[in-house]
Amino acid sequence: MIEAVSPIVVREKALRIDSAGPGLWRGGLGQTFRFEVRTPHPFVVNTMSDQIRDEPYGLMGGGAGERAAYTILDGGALPQPKAMVTVPPGGEVRMVLPGGGGYGDPRRRPPALVREDVDNGLVSAARAREDYAVTVERRDGGWEVNEPETVRLRSGAGPEEPEA
């Protein structure tokens, strides 16, 4: 629809893994949106996002979402959160939209839901461990929670040291 009513061609539209603020209720994921101007004339892009400078905050112990960024490819990052920028004909714009802040303590998110987030490509296994204190491992083509390690992490004992 965007391409039908605007003089642009969408080159990429994807969710940003690990962009959501961690929480008992995880924030929403941000997106990457890249488009090319398809007019013989310059095109004005209006960015209206304070989340370039400030992270979308979490509430009640939830973590912040990832910040936004706007760049004109081969032209650098936009100088300020609210700007009207002229893009040359054939130029490309990359908008990295912010993730939403999380709500509640991430360590209270059920491990099964964290595993689901990893399985669905929303949260990486590394961030599951770092943000949620849940260890997920690849087994038989899918992800499974390592229950003993998760209990250890969530109890504050930390991971077991590897044997020498």
Side-chain angles (χ1 to χ4, degrees):
M1 186 64 187
I2 292 171
E3 292 174 330
V5 298
S6 302
I8 64 172
V9 175
V10 176
R11 297 293 181 200
E12 177 185 11
K13 187 165 176 32
L15 293 175
R16 296 175 52 209
I17 189 169
D18 291 333
S19 62
L24 172 60
W25 290 283
R26 171 184 45 72
L29 267 68
Q31 298 178 44
T32 298
F33 184 65
R34 185 172 54 92
F35 62 90
E36 178 184 336
V37 176
R38 64 173 179 176
T39 68
H41 311 289
F43 187 76
V44 176
V45 174
N46 185 0
T47 64
M48 300 296 284
S49 177
D50 288 327
Q51 274 68 47
I52 289 174
R53 183 181 9 179
D54 303 317
E55 300 168 325
Y57 56 86
L59 293 171
M60 303 299 290
E66 296 286 323
R67 287 187 197 142
Y70 294 88
T71 53
I72 309 282
L73 299 183
D74 297 330
L78 299 184
Q80 57 195 20
K82 295 179 175 138
M84 293 189 70
V85 179
T86 302
V87 181
E92 281 193 17
V93 175
R94 182 170 186 252
M95 301 181 343
V96 177
L97 304 175
Y103 183 89
D105 182 353
R107 289 174 177 245
R108 291 189 53 223
R109 186 165 178 83
L113 292 180
V114 176
R115 184 207 53 80
E116 227 176 81
D117 289 342
V118 172
D119 199 41
N120 290 326
L122 308 177
V123 174
S124 67
R127 291 287 294 272
R129 184 181 178 89
E130 181 182 328
D131 295 339
Y132 295 94
V134 173
T135 299
V136 291
E137 299 168 342
R138 195 62 125 155
R139 291 194 194 134
D140 300 324
W143 292 97
E144 288 186 28
V145 174
N146 178 327
E147 296 287 345
E149 182 66 10
T150 296
V151 168
R152 236 184 323 281
L153 287 173
R154 288 191 165 189
S155 71
E160 280 187 322
E161 294 297 319
E163 293 183 24

